[in-house]
């Protein structure tokens, strides 16, 4: 089994012949990849992963800076990102928080953010899958200079992602669904894929349960053909990824098979509050614990390397087998 996984290098098999040299990532160093699944792990994520503290802070929730995405991946063990999306009048996608008052960012062009993640992934091919949440953040954009409301343009995000990541490097709703009628049926029947099938891949989910999500689902029954999963209620047929909830809800969702991301420590929290928030998420079995405090500095930071999930991992799971780069 392990030999087969190493040869395939992913659930989509070998990449198509593009004329480029094959991706040489060496031998898979992990020994439990025929046992551990994507939902058996727990990793650190970042909230508003691009964020830099503005020169003039209008709200304490803006008083934090993240390192560049590469540094987050390489030095701080981050395996989940959240990128807020805006659309310029020239239909270019940009990543920042809010126009004018909080728009400092480590990577303004969406394609630059993606390219940075892919470059790190290329060099560290046996990483656990990287989850990237995308939040359309255009409430103020219709009145902001140079920006426009996203509306139906959201579908072009798929094209942009596919222009950076080849299909064999993406884990999409179609991959999870397989031959089943819905994502929820697939989760009940098959569960999430083995780690050995999805190492080196990225997956995306839409952080919206309103009009943006409705538009993205329109014409794509159960996300057929789409790149993004979507934030869901656990009763939705397209439910697979869920963002934010109480510790009790998180435990129930993870035990039911969903992949859960939630925000813990935030800018403005004192050290005691921040630590309690992170501990509650981790103990509840969240898969991606997102923080504003991912790097050392200040009174608190979330020190978490990819590890076994305390709620969902099988007894034979070993932290060292989740990821060793």
């Amino acid at each position: 089994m392990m030999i087969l996984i190493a040869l395939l290098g992913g659930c989509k098999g070998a990449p198509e012949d593009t004329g480029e040299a094959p991706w040489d990532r060496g031998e898979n160093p992990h020994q439990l990849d025929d046992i551990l699944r994507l939902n058996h792990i727990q990793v650190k994520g970042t909230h508003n992963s691009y964020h830099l503290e503005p020169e003039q802070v209008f709200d304490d929730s803006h008083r934090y800076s993240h390192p560049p995405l590469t540094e987050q991946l390489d030095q701080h063990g981050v395996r989940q990102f959240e990128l807020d999306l805006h659309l310029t009048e020239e239909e270019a996608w940009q990543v920042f928080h809010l126009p004018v008052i909080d728009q400092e960012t480590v990577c303004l062009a969406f394609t630059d953010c993606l390219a940075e993640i892919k470059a790190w992934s290329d060099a560290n091919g046996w990483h656990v899958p990287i989850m990237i949440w995308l939040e359309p953040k255009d409430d103020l954009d219709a009145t902001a200079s140079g920006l426009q409301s996203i509306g139906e343009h959201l579908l072009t995000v798929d094209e942009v992602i596919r222009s950076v990541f080849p299909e064999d490097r993406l884990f999409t709703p179609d991959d999870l669904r397989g031959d089943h009628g819905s994502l929820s049926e697939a989760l009940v029947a098959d569960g999430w894929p083995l780690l050995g099938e999805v190492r080196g891949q990225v997956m995306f989910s839409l952080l919206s349960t309103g009009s943006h999500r409705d538009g993205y689902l329109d014409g794509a029954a159960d996300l057929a053909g789409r790149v993004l999963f979507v934030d869901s209620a656990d009763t939705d047929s397209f439910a697979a990824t869920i963002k934010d909830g109480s510790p009790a809800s998180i435990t129930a969702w993870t035990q039911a098979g969903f992949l859960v991301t939630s925000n813990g420590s935030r800018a403005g929290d004192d050290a005691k509050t921040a630590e309690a928030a992170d501990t509650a998420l981790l103990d509840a079995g969240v898969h991606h614990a997102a923080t504003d405090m991912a790097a050392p500095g200040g009174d608190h930071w979330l020190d978490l390397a990819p590890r076994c999930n305390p709620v969902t991992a099988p007894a034979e799971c070993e932290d060292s087998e989740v990821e060793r780069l």
Side-chain angles (χ1 to χ4, degrees), residues 296-325:
D299 296 328
H300 172 80
W301 68 288
L302 178 56
D303 186 10
L304 177 68
R307 68 180 189 181
C308 303
N309 189 298
V311 172
T312 60
E316 55 266 55
C317 186
E318 299 176 12
D319 290 347
S320 61
E321 292 299 334
V322 172
E323 186 179 271
R324 51 173 83 176
L325 299 179

Side-chain angles (χ1 to χ4, degrees), residues 176-197:
L176 178 61
R177 187 187 311 101
D179 296 329
H180 297 285
S182 69
L183 296 181
S184 58
E185 290 177 16
L187 283 178
V188 171
D190 300 330
W192 292 92
L194 293 166
L195 278 184
E197 298 173 324

Side-chain angles (χ1 to χ4, degrees), residues 43-51 64-73 76-84 106 117 130-135 207 243 261-265 278 288-295 301-302 304:
V43 302
K44 176 163 60 176
T46 45
H47 164 246
N48 290 350
S49 308
Y50 54 83
H51 192 269
Y64 68 102
S65 293
H66 284 306
L69 302 185
T70 299
E71 183 178 329
Q72 292 185 47
L73 288 161
H76 306 301
V78 172
R79 298 293 180 266
Q80 173 264 308
F81 293 116
E82 179 188 316
L83 305 177
D84 289 343
V106 300
I117 295 168
I130 299 168
M131 164 65 89
I132 304 171
W133 284 88
L134 302 178
E135 182 175 11
L207 183 49
K243 180 70 163 61
T261 305
S262 197
N263 295 339
S265 48
D278 288 338
H288 313 112
T291 179
D292 291 340
M293 307 170 183
W301 68 288
L302 178 56
L304 177 68

